[in-house]
Amino acid sequence: MSLPDQSMGDLPVEVMVDILSRLPVKTIIHSKCVCKKWLDIISDSYFANLHLSRSPTNLVIHHNLGFDTNGYKKPGTLTWVDLEDELDHHDPRMTLDLNLSPIFQNSQILPAGSVNGLICLWQVCPKRHNIYICNPITREYMILPRQRNCIIVYCFGVGLLTHEYKLIRIFQRGMPPYSTSSSRMGLFEAEVYTLGTGQWRSLGCVPYWLSGSSGLFLNGHAHWILVDRDSPEKIYAFDFDKETFDLFPSPPSSEAMRGSLGVINGCLCQCESFNSKLTIWVMKEYGVKKSWHKEVVIERSISPGLPLWCVEPVYVIEGFKDGVILMGSFRGVLFVYCPQRKTIVDFVKFDRSFKFNAWVYRPSFHRLHNFENERVDVF
C-alpha cells in the first residue's frame, strides 16, 4: 500500500475514520502500517465500535489436526470464512495457526464462545486447564485465573446494559443422582468472571443438570437445554446483567431425543431429532413461549448421504434471509439446507480427516489492553 497523498491527509479525522471502518479486515490491518495517524485511528476504541457495527458475519472453523509425535492432541487452527459469499463459493479469509504458539503446545483446544470479535478458548492438557480470551485480529490474548473444579458447562457473553464481558461456568461438586431436581441442589455451583476484575465470583448453587458444554449466547443471556424430566420448561438461561438463572420458555414439544440450540436471523431456535427427521423450532419473539414456531421439518429421505441426525445431534449455526440454514454436526460436518429445493448440500470443502466445529464470528478491533487488571500478551 502506498503512502497517503496530501488530499487524504487533509481530510477531517471523522471522515478518515468512516472510510477506514468500511474497509476489509486485512486491508485495515495493513493500513496500520501506513502512518502513525492511521495507526492511532485504528487503535482507538471509537473506531473499534464503529467497525464492529459494520462488521459482516463470518464463520469461524476450529479444525482439529490430530496428535503430535508425543501423543498429545494438537491445538489446531482457527479459520474464518465469509458468509456473504455465494453458497457454492466460500473461501477461507484468514487463518490463525494455534500450533505455532508456544502457549498452546501439547494441548487440546475447545472453543467456548465468541462475542464482538473476542473468542474464548478452553485449553485441556494433562498438566493444565486454562481459559483464554483472545482477539485473532489484534493477536492479543489473556489467561483467566486457573479453575479448581471440574467444569460442566460454560458460556462467554456480554451484558446488554452494563456492557461487561463475562464468562459463566458451572462445575460439579458431587456425583449426580438420577432422581428429582431438588435432590441435586448443592451438587452444582456457578461462578462468573468479569473481564477486568481479575477474579472469579461465586453465584451459589444451580439445581439443574445442563446438557452440552458451551451455552448459547443471545440477547444478553446464556442458554442451555435442561436434562430434567421434572422441569416445566426445558431451557435454562443466565442473565449477564442481573447475574441470575431462570427457567426459559421452551418449544411445545416432547419429541426431542437429541436437542441443540442455535440462532436463525437473530432468533433463538432449537433442533430436535426424532424418528429419522430433524425439526427446527424458532422463537419469533424472544422470551415469549407462544411465539415458538415449527420452522422446518427435514426428513431423512431427502439426504440419504447425510443421515447425521440419526447418529448424533445437529446444531444450527446461522440462517440467511432467503431461508437457507447453515448447520453442523458434532462429528465435524458442515452443510446447508435449502428450503426452496428441499435439499441438503455441502457448505465448504475442508479436509475431513479430523473433526472440526464452527460458529458465527464478527471480526473486530477491540483491544484486550482496554481491560484493567488483566495481563495481556500477543501471539
Side-chain angles (χ1 to χ4, degrees), residues 289-319:
K289 188 176 182 66
K290 292 183 179 180
S291 69
W292 280 109
H293 172 71
K294 188 180 291 187
E295 190 81 2
V296 175
V297 177
I298 305 175
E299 301 287 348
R300 178 184 178 183
S301 58
I302 73 167
S303 180
L306 289 172
L308 303 173
W309 47 86
C310 302
V311 180
E312 58 182 275
V314 169
Y315 60 97
V316 168
I317 300 173
E318 183 61 289

PDB file of all heavy atoms in Angstrom, residues 289-319:
ATOM      1  N   LYS A 289     -43.304 -17.623  25.009  1.00  0.00           N
ATOM      2  CA  LYS A 289     -43.488 -19.046  24.696  1.00  0.00           C
ATOM      3  C   LYS A 289     -44.401 -19.258  23.491  1.00  0.00           C
ATOM      4  O   LYS A 289     -44.153 -20.144  22.662  1.00  0.00           O
ATOM      5  CB  LYS A 289     -44.052 -19.772  25.915  1.00  0.00           C
ATOM      6  CG  LYS A 289     -44.098 -21.285  25.751  1.00  0.00           C
ATOM      7  CD  LYS A 289     -44.566 -21.967  27.018  1.00  0.00           C
ATOM      8  CE  LYS A 289     -44.558 -23.481  26.867  1.00  0.00           C
ATOM      9  NZ  LYS A 289     -43.210 -24.055  26.705  1.00  0.00           N
ATOM     10  N   LYS A 290     -45.468 -18.451  23.377  1.00  0.00           N
ATOM     11  CA  LYS A 290     -46.415 -18.619  22.281  1.00  0.00           C
ATOM     12  C   LYS A 290     -45.808 -18.288  20.919  1.00  0.00           C
ATOM     13  O   LYS A 290     -46.422 -18.597  19.883  1.00  0.00           O
ATOM     14  CB  LYS A 290     -47.655 -17.749  22.522  1.00  0.00           C
ATOM     15  CG  LYS A 290     -48.511 -18.212  23.695  1.00  0.00           C
ATOM     16  CD  LYS A 290     -49.753 -17.346  23.832  1.00  0.00           C
ATOM     17  CE  LYS A 290     -50.636 -17.811  24.977  1.00  0.00           C
ATOM     18  NZ  LYS A 290     -51.849 -16.968  25.118  1.00  0.00           N
ATOM     19  N   SER A 291     -44.635 -17.664  20.912  1.00  0.00           N
ATOM     20  CA  SER A 291     -44.034 -17.278  19.632  1.00  0.00           C
ATOM     21  C   SER A 291     -43.183 -18.379  19.018  1.00  0.00           C
ATOM     22  O   SER A 291     -42.645 -18.209  17.922  1.00  0.00           O
ATOM     23  CB  SER A 291     -43.186 -16.016  19.804  1.00  0.00           C
ATOM     24  OG  SER A 291     -42.018 -16.277  20.571  1.00  0.00           O
ATOM     25  N   TRP A 292     -43.040 -19.538  19.727  1.00  0.00           N
ATOM     26  CA  TRP A 292     -42.323 -20.659  19.119  1.00  0.00           C
ATOM     27  C   TRP A 292     -43.076 -21.148  17.876  1.00  0.00           C
ATOM     28  O   TRP A 292     -44.295 -21.343  17.917  1.00  0.00           O
ATOM     29  CB  TRP A 292     -42.186 -21.815  20.106  1.00  0.00           C
ATOM     30  CG  TRP A 292     -41.075 -21.665  21.110  1.00  0.00           C
ATOM     31  CD1 TRP A 292     -41.204 -21.416  22.445  1.00  0.00           C
ATOM     32  CD2 TRP A 292     -39.675 -21.804  20.866  1.00  0.00           C
ATOM     33  NE1 TRP A 292     -39.976 -21.369  23.044  1.00  0.00           N
ATOM     34  CE2 TRP A 292     -39.013 -21.609  22.100  1.00  0.00           C
ATOM     35  CE3 TRP A 292     -38.903 -22.066  19.724  1.00  0.00           C
ATOM     36  CZ2 TRP A 292     -37.624 -21.667  22.231  1.00  0.00           C
ATOM     37  CZ3 TRP A 292     -37.523 -22.120  19.850  1.00  0.00           C
ATOM     38  CH2 TRP A 292     -36.883 -21.928  21.085  1.00  0.00           C
ATOM     39  N   HIS A 293     -42.340 -21.332  16.787  1.00  0.00           N
ATOM     40  CA  HIS A 293     -42.938 -21.732  15.517  1.00  0.00           C
ATOM     41  C   HIS A 293     -42.126 -22.867  14.913  1.00  0.00           C
ATOM     42  O   HIS A 293     -40.891 -22.819  14.889  1.00  0.00           O
ATOM     43  CB  HIS A 293     -42.965 -20.540  14.552  1.00  0.00           C
ATOM     44  CG  HIS A 293     -43.375 -20.895  13.159  1.00  0.00           C
ATOM     45  ND1 HIS A 293     -44.670 -21.251  12.829  1.00  0.00           N
ATOM     46  CD2 HIS A 293     -42.652 -20.954  11.998  1.00  0.00           C
ATOM     47  CE1 HIS A 293     -44.715 -21.520  11.529  1.00  0.00           C
ATOM     48  NE2 HIS A 293     -43.517 -21.337  11.010  1.00  0.00           N
ATOM     49  N   LYS A 294     -42.820 -23.907  14.458  1.00  0.00           N
ATOM     50  CA  LYS A 294     -42.133 -25.018  13.799  1.00  0.00           C
ATOM     51  C   LYS A 294     -41.726 -24.558  12.402  1.00  0.00           C
ATOM     52  O   LYS A 294     -42.505 -24.570  11.458  1.00  0.00           O
ATOM     53  CB  LYS A 294     -43.032 -26.255  13.739  1.00  0.00           C
ATOM     54  CG  LYS A 294     -42.322 -27.498  13.235  1.00  0.00           C
ATOM     55  CD  LYS A 294     -43.264 -28.690  13.191  1.00  0.00           C
ATOM     56  CE  LYS A 294     -43.650 -29.150  14.591  1.00  0.00           C
ATOM     57  NZ  LYS A 294     -44.427 -30.422  14.541  1.00  0.00           N
ATOM     58  N   GLU A 295     -40.473 -24.162  12.273  1.00  0.00           N
ATOM     59  CA  GLU A 295     -39.985 -23.522  11.056  1.00  0.00           C
ATOM     60  C   GLU A 295     -39.676 -24.520   9.947  1.00  0.00           C
ATOM     61  O   GLU A 295     -40.049 -24.315   8.785  1.00  0.00           O
ATOM     62  CB  GLU A 295     -38.711 -22.720  11.368  1.00  0.00           C
ATOM     63  CG  GLU A 295     -38.236 -21.820  10.253  1.00  0.00           C
ATOM     64  CD  GLU A 295     -38.987 -20.511  10.203  1.00  0.00           C
ATOM     65  OE1 GLU A 295     -39.873 -20.275  11.060  1.00  0.00           O
ATOM     66  OE2 GLU A 295     -38.708 -19.716   9.296  1.00  0.00           O
ATOM     67  N   VAL A 296     -38.982 -25.596  10.298  1.00  0.00           N
ATOM     68  CA  VAL A 296     -38.507 -26.545   9.285  1.00  0.00           C
ATOM     69  C   VAL A 296     -38.636 -27.970   9.813  1.00  0.00           C
ATOM     70  O   VAL A 296     -38.361 -28.230  10.984  1.00  0.00           O
ATOM     71  CB  VAL A 296     -37.029 -26.274   8.920  1.00  0.00           C
ATOM     72  CG1 VAL A 296     -36.505 -27.346   7.961  1.00  0.00           C
ATOM     73  CG2 VAL A 296     -36.864 -24.888   8.307  1.00  0.00           C
ATOM     74  N   VAL A 297     -39.057 -28.870   8.942  1.00  0.00           N
ATOM     75  CA  VAL A 297     -39.022 -30.305   9.227  1.00  0.00           C
ATOM     76  C   VAL A 297     -38.276 -30.976   8.083  1.00  0.00           C
ATOM     77  O   VAL A 297     -38.716 -30.926   6.933  1.00  0.00           O
ATOM     78  CB  VAL A 297     -40.434 -30.905   9.370  1.00  0.00           C
ATOM     79  CG1 VAL A 297     -40.333 -32.411   9.594  1.00  0.00           C
ATOM     80  CG2 VAL A 297     -41.183 -30.242  10.518  1.00  0.00           C
ATOM     81  N   ILE A 298     -37.145 -31.582   8.384  1.00  0.00           N
ATOM     82  CA  ILE A 298     -36.298 -32.207   7.364  1.00  0.00           C
ATOM     83  C   ILE A 298     -36.374 -33.723   7.525  1.00  0.00           C
ATOM     84  O   ILE A 298     -35.987 -34.266   8.565  1.00  0.00           O
ATOM     85  CB  ILE A 298     -34.839 -31.740   7.482  1.00  0.00           C
ATOM     86  CG1 ILE A 298     -34.762 -30.213   7.434  1.00  0.00           C
ATOM     87  CG2 ILE A 298     -33.987 -32.347   6.375  1.00  0.00           C
ATOM     88  CD1 ILE A 298     -33.359 -29.670   7.670  1.00  0.00           C
ATOM     89  N   GLU A 299     -36.893 -34.373   6.525  1.00  0.00           N
ATOM     90  CA  GLU A 299     -36.966 -35.831   6.545  1.00  0.00           C
ATOM     91  C   GLU A 299     -35.631 -36.437   6.133  1.00  0.00           C
ATOM     92  O   GLU A 299     -34.919 -35.892   5.286  1.00  0.00           O
ATOM     93  CB  GLU A 299     -38.059 -36.313   5.593  1.00  0.00           C
ATOM     94  CG  GLU A 299     -39.449 -35.793   5.916  1.00  0.00           C
ATOM     95  CD  GLU A 299     -40.036 -36.446   7.151  1.00  0.00           C
ATOM     96  OE1 GLU A 299     -39.475 -37.457   7.619  1.00  0.00           O
ATOM     97  OE2 GLU A 299     -41.073 -35.940   7.639  1.00  0.00           O
ATOM     98  N   ARG A 300     -35.314 -37.565   6.715  1.00  0.00           N
ATOM     99  CA  ARG A 300     -34.071 -38.240   6.389  1.00  0.00           C
ATOM    100  C   ARG A 300     -34.001 -38.626   4.916  1.00  0.00           C
ATOM    101  O   ARG A 300     -32.925 -38.639   4.316  1.00  0.00           O
ATOM    102  CB  ARG A 300     -33.921 -39.498   7.257  1.00  0.00           C
ATOM    103  CG  ARG A 300     -32.675 -40.310   6.950  1.00  0.00           C
ATOM    104  CD  ARG A 300     -32.644 -41.586   7.772  1.00  0.00           C
ATOM    105  NE  ARG A 300     -31.478 -42.398   7.458  1.00  0.00           N
ATOM    106  CZ  ARG A 300     -31.233 -43.594   7.996  1.00  0.00           C
ATOM    107  NH1 ARG A 300     -32.081 -44.091   8.884  1.00  0.00           N
ATOM    108  NH2 ARG A 300     -30.158 -44.277   7.660  1.00  0.00           N
ATOM    109  N   SER A 301     -35.129 -38.871   4.319  1.00  0.00           N
ATOM    110  CA  SER A 301     -35.165 -39.367   2.944  1.00  0.00           C
ATOM    111  C   SER A 301     -34.615 -38.368   1.930  1.00  0.00           C
ATOM    112  O   SER A 301     -34.187 -38.757   0.846  1.00  0.00           O
ATOM    113  CB  SER A 301     -36.605 -39.727   2.555  1.00  0.00           C
ATOM    114  OG  SER A 301     -37.452 -38.600   2.696  1.00  0.00           O
ATOM    115  N   ILE A 302     -34.598 -37.044   2.274  1.00  0.00           N
ATOM    116  CA  ILE A 302     -34.112 -36.070   1.296  1.00  0.00           C
ATOM    117  C   ILE A 302     -32.594 -36.058   1.216  1.00  0.00           C
ATOM    118  O   ILE A 302     -32.017 -35.486   0.298  1.00  0.00           O
ATOM    119  CB  ILE A 302     -34.608 -34.650   1.620  1.00  0.00           C
ATOM    120  CG1 ILE A 302     -33.863 -34.098   2.849  1.00  0.00           C
ATOM    121  CG2 ILE A 302     -36.097 -34.611   1.825  1.00  0.00           C
ATOM    122  CD1 ILE A 302     -34.060 -32.630   3.036  1.00  0.00           C
ATOM    123  N   SER A 303     -31.930 -36.698   2.185  1.00  0.00           N
ATOM    124  CA  SER A 303     -30.474 -36.684   2.195  1.00  0.00           C
ATOM    125  C   SER A 303     -29.932 -38.010   2.687  1.00  0.00           C
ATOM    126  O   SER A 303     -29.420 -38.119   3.787  1.00  0.00           O
ATOM    127  CB  SER A 303     -29.962 -35.535   3.082  1.00  0.00           C
ATOM    128  OG  SER A 303     -28.554 -35.522   3.089  1.00  0.00           O
ATOM    129  N   PRO A 304     -30.031 -39.051   1.871  1.00  0.00           N
ATOM    130  CA  PRO A 304     -29.553 -40.373   2.314  1.00  0.00           C
ATOM    131  C   PRO A 304     -28.056 -40.405   2.578  1.00  0.00           C
ATOM    132  O   PRO A 304     -27.567 -41.243   3.335  1.00  0.00           O
ATOM    133  CB  PRO A 304     -29.922 -41.285   1.135  1.00  0.00           C
ATOM    134  CG  PRO A 304     -30.043 -40.363  -0.039  1.00  0.00           C
ATOM    135  CD  PRO A 304     -30.572 -39.070   0.509  1.00  0.00           C
ATOM    136  N   GLY A 305     -27.313 -39.476   1.985  1.00  0.00           N
ATOM    137  CA  GLY A 305     -25.858 -39.450   2.193  1.00  0.00           C
ATOM    138  C   GLY A 305     -25.446 -38.737   3.455  1.00  0.00           C
ATOM    139  O   GLY A 305     -24.303 -38.823   3.878  1.00  0.00           O
ATOM    140  N   LEU A 306     -26.374 -38.001   4.088  1.00  0.00           N
ATOM    141  CA  LEU A 306     -26.052 -37.266   5.312  1.00  0.00           C
ATOM    142  C   LEU A 306     -27.104 -37.532   6.392  1.00  0.00           C
ATOM    143  O   LEU A 306     -27.810 -36.632   6.815  1.00  0.00           O
ATOM    144  CB  LEU A 306     -25.993 -35.762   5.028  1.00  0.00           C
ATOM    145  CG  LEU A 306     -24.812 -35.251   4.211  1.00  0.00           C
ATOM    146  CD1 LEU A 306     -25.031 -33.782   3.862  1.00  0.00           C
ATOM    147  CD2 LEU A 306     -23.518 -35.404   4.985  1.00  0.00           C
ATOM    148  N   PRO A 307     -27.218 -38.779   6.842  1.00  0.00           N
ATOM    149  CA  PRO A 307     -28.197 -39.081   7.893  1.00  0.00           C
ATOM    150  C   PRO A 307     -27.652 -38.727   9.274  1.00  0.00           C
ATOM    151  O   PRO A 307     -27.642 -39.536  10.188  1.00  0.00           O
ATOM    152  CB  PRO A 307     -28.384 -40.590   7.735  1.00  0.00           C
ATOM    153  CG  PRO A 307     -27.046 -41.072   7.281  1.00  0.00           C
ATOM    154  CD  PRO A 307     -26.460 -39.968   6.431  1.00  0.00           C
ATOM    155  N   LEU A 308     -27.191 -37.490   9.430  1.00  0.00           N
ATOM    156  CA  LEU A 308     -26.436 -37.113  10.613  1.00  0.00           C
ATOM    157  C   LEU A 308     -27.273 -37.123  11.878  1.00  0.00           C
ATOM    158  O   LEU A 308     -26.814 -37.506  12.941  1.00  0.00           O
ATOM    159  CB  LEU A 308     -25.833 -35.712  10.402  1.00  0.00           C
ATOM    160  CG  LEU A 308     -24.943 -35.591   9.170  1.00  0.00           C
ATOM    161  CD1 LEU A 308     -24.550 -34.138   8.963  1.00  0.00           C
ATOM    162  CD2 LEU A 308     -23.706 -36.444   9.321  1.00  0.00           C
ATOM    163  N   TRP A 309     -28.517 -36.667  11.770  1.00  0.00           N
ATOM    164  CA  TRP A 309     -29.312 -36.543  12.979  1.00  0.00           C
ATOM    165  C   TRP A 309     -29.760 -37.889  13.527  1.00  0.00           C
ATOM    166  O   TRP A 309     -30.327 -37.961  14.596  1.00  0.00           O
ATOM    167  CB  TRP A 309     -30.528 -35.656  12.725  1.00  0.00           C
ATOM    168  CG  TRP A 309     -31.274 -35.983  11.474  1.00  0.00           C
ATOM    169  CD1 TRP A 309     -32.245 -36.906  11.318  1.00  0.00           C
ATOM    170  CD2 TRP A 309     -31.091 -35.379  10.196  1.00  0.00           C
ATOM    171  NE1 TRP A 309     -32.690 -36.925  10.022  1.00  0.00           N
ATOM    172  CE2 TRP A 309     -32.005 -35.990   9.312  1.00  0.00           C
ATOM    173  CE3 TRP A 309     -30.246 -34.380   9.710  1.00  0.00           C
ATOM    174  CZ2 TRP A 309     -32.089 -35.637   7.970  1.00  0.00           C
ATOM    175  CZ3 TRP A 309     -30.347 -34.027   8.379  1.00  0.00           C
ATOM    176  CH2 TRP A 309     -31.250 -34.645   7.529  1.00  0.00           C
ATOM    177  N   CYS A 310     -29.523 -38.943  12.783  1.00  0.00           N
ATOM    178  CA  CYS A 310     -29.835 -40.274  13.292  1.00  0.00           C
ATOM    179  C   CYS A 310     -28.698 -40.815  14.154  1.00  0.00           C
ATOM    180  O   CYS A 310     -28.855 -41.795  14.856  1.00  0.00           O
ATOM    181  CB  CYS A 310     -30.105 -41.227  12.137  1.00  0.00           C
ATOM    182  SG  CYS A 310     -31.450 -40.684  11.073  1.00  0.00           S
ATOM    183  N   VAL A 311     -27.530 -40.187  14.068  1.00  0.00           N
ATOM    184  CA  VAL A 311     -26.354 -40.665  14.776  1.00  0.00           C
ATOM    185  C   VAL A 311     -26.024 -39.770  15.957  1.00  0.00           C
ATOM    186  O   VAL A 311     -25.710 -40.223  17.041  1.00  0.00           O
ATOM    187  CB  VAL A 311     -25.144 -40.740  13.818  1.00  0.00           C
ATOM    188  CG1 VAL A 311     -23.909 -41.241  14.554  1.00  0.00           C
ATOM    189  CG2 VAL A 311     -25.478 -41.634  12.629  1.00  0.00           C
ATOM    190  N   GLU A 312     -26.105 -38.462  15.765  1.00  0.00           N
ATOM    191  CA  GLU A 312     -25.747 -37.511  16.798  1.00  0.00           C
ATOM    192  C   GLU A 312     -26.450 -36.187  16.539  1.00  0.00           C
ATOM    193  O   GLU A 312     -27.014 -35.976  15.463  1.00  0.00           O
ATOM    194  CB  GLU A 312     -24.236 -37.297  16.804  1.00  0.00           C
ATOM    195  CG  GLU A 312     -23.693 -36.793  15.477  1.00  0.00           C
ATOM    196  CD  GLU A 312     -22.195 -36.642  15.523  1.00  0.00           C
ATOM    197  OE1 GLU A 312     -21.740 -35.585  15.982  1.00  0.00           O
ATOM    198  OE2 GLU A 312     -21.508 -37.580  15.107  1.00  0.00           O
ATOM    199  N   PRO A 313     -26.443 -35.272  17.529  1.00  0.00           N
ATOM    200  CA  PRO A 313     -27.176 -34.012  17.355  1.00  0.00           C
ATOM    201  C   PRO A 313     -26.629 -33.149  16.231  1.00  0.00           C
ATOM    202  O   PRO A 313     -25.438 -33.158  15.922  1.00  0.00           O
ATOM    203  CB  PRO A 313     -26.995 -33.318  18.708  1.00  0.00           C
ATOM    204  CG  PRO A 313     -26.675 -34.411  19.670  1.00  0.00           C
ATOM    205  CD  PRO A 313     -25.901 -35.426  18.878  1.00  0.00           C
ATOM    206  N   VAL A 314     -27.526 -32.386  15.647  1.00  0.00           N
ATOM    207  CA  VAL A 314     -27.178 -31.385  14.645  1.00  0.00           C
ATOM    208  C   VAL A 314     -27.463 -30.022  15.261  1.00  0.00           C
ATOM    209  O   VAL A 314     -28.421 -29.873  16.026  1.00  0.00           O
ATOM    210  CB  VAL A 314     -28.015 -31.583  13.363  1.00  0.00           C
ATOM    211  CG1 VAL A 314     -27.857 -30.401  12.416  1.00  0.00           C
ATOM    212  CG2 VAL A 314     -27.593 -32.871  12.661  1.00  0.00           C
ATOM    213  N   TYR A 315     -26.642 -29.042  14.986  1.00  0.00           N
ATOM    214  CA  TYR A 315     -26.867 -27.714  15.540  1.00  0.00           C
ATOM    215  C   TYR A 315     -26.913 -26.675  14.422  1.00  0.00           C
ATOM    216  O   TYR A 315     -26.244 -26.806  13.399  1.00  0.00           O
ATOM    217  CB  TYR A 315     -25.781 -27.347  16.560  1.00  0.00           C
ATOM    218  CG  TYR A 315     -24.364 -27.332  16.019  1.00  0.00           C
ATOM    219  CD1 TYR A 315     -23.776 -26.138  15.603  1.00  0.00           C
ATOM    220  CD2 TYR A 315     -23.612 -28.502  15.948  1.00  0.00           C
ATOM    221  CE1 TYR A 315     -22.471 -26.120  15.114  1.00  0.00           C
ATOM    222  CE2 TYR A 315     -22.321 -28.494  15.468  1.00  0.00           C
ATOM    223  CZ  TYR A 315     -21.749 -27.300  15.057  1.00  0.00           C
ATOM    224  OH  TYR A 315     -20.463 -27.284  14.567  1.00  0.00           O
ATOM    225  N   VAL A 316     -27.743 -25.665  14.625  1.00  0.00           N
ATOM    226  CA  VAL A 316     -27.852 -24.568  13.668  1.00  0.00           C
ATOM    227  C   VAL A 316     -26.756 -23.546  13.945  1.00  0.00           C
ATOM    228  O   VAL A 316     -26.536 -23.148  15.093  1.00  0.00           O
ATOM    229  CB  VAL A 316     -29.235 -23.889  13.764  1.00  0.00           C
ATOM    230  CG1 VAL A 316     -29.252 -22.574  12.990  1.00  0.00           C
ATOM    231  CG2 VAL A 316     -30.309 -24.814  13.232  1.00  0.00           C
ATOM    232  N   ILE A 317     -26.062 -23.111  12.888  1.00  0.00           N
ATOM    233  CA  ILE A 317     -25.017 -22.101  13.012  1.00  0.00           C
ATOM    234  C   ILE A 317     -25.542 -20.729  12.626  1.00  0.00           C
ATOM    235  O   ILE A 317     -25.318 -19.743  13.319  1.00  0.00           O
ATOM    236  CB  ILE A 317     -23.802 -22.472  12.143  1.00  0.00           C
ATOM    237  CG1 ILE A 317     -23.226 -23.829  12.585  1.00  0.00           C
ATOM    238  CG2 ILE A 317     -22.728 -21.384  12.209  1.00  0.00           C
ATOM    239  CD1 ILE A 317     -22.140 -24.354  11.679  1.00  0.00           C
ATOM    240  N   GLU A 318     -26.278 -20.653  11.524  1.00  0.00           N
ATOM    241  CA  GLU A 318     -26.799 -19.370  11.065  1.00  0.00           C
ATOM    242  C   GLU A 318     -27.898 -19.594  10.047  1.00  0.00           C
ATOM    243  O   GLU A 318     -27.926 -20.600   9.342  1.00  0.00           O
ATOM    244  CB  GLU A 318     -25.674 -18.538  10.445  1.00  0.00           C
ATOM    245  CG  GLU A 318     -26.050 -17.141   9.977  1.00  0.00           C
ATOM    246  CD  GLU A 318     -26.561 -16.233  11.074  1.00  0.00           C
ATOM    247  OE1 GLU A 318     -27.681 -16.483  11.541  1.00  0.00           O
ATOM    248  OE2 GLU A 318     -25.859 -15.288  11.451  1.00  0.00           O
ATOM    249  N   GLY A 319     -28.818 -18.648   9.979  1.00  0.00           N
ATOM    250  CA  GLY A 319     -29.849 -18.664   8.968  1.00  0.00           C
ATOM    251  C   GLY A 319     -29.728 -17.434   8.084  1.00  0.00           C
ATOM    252  O   GLY A 319     -29.263 -16.373   8.531  1.00  0.00           O
TER     253      GLY A 319
END
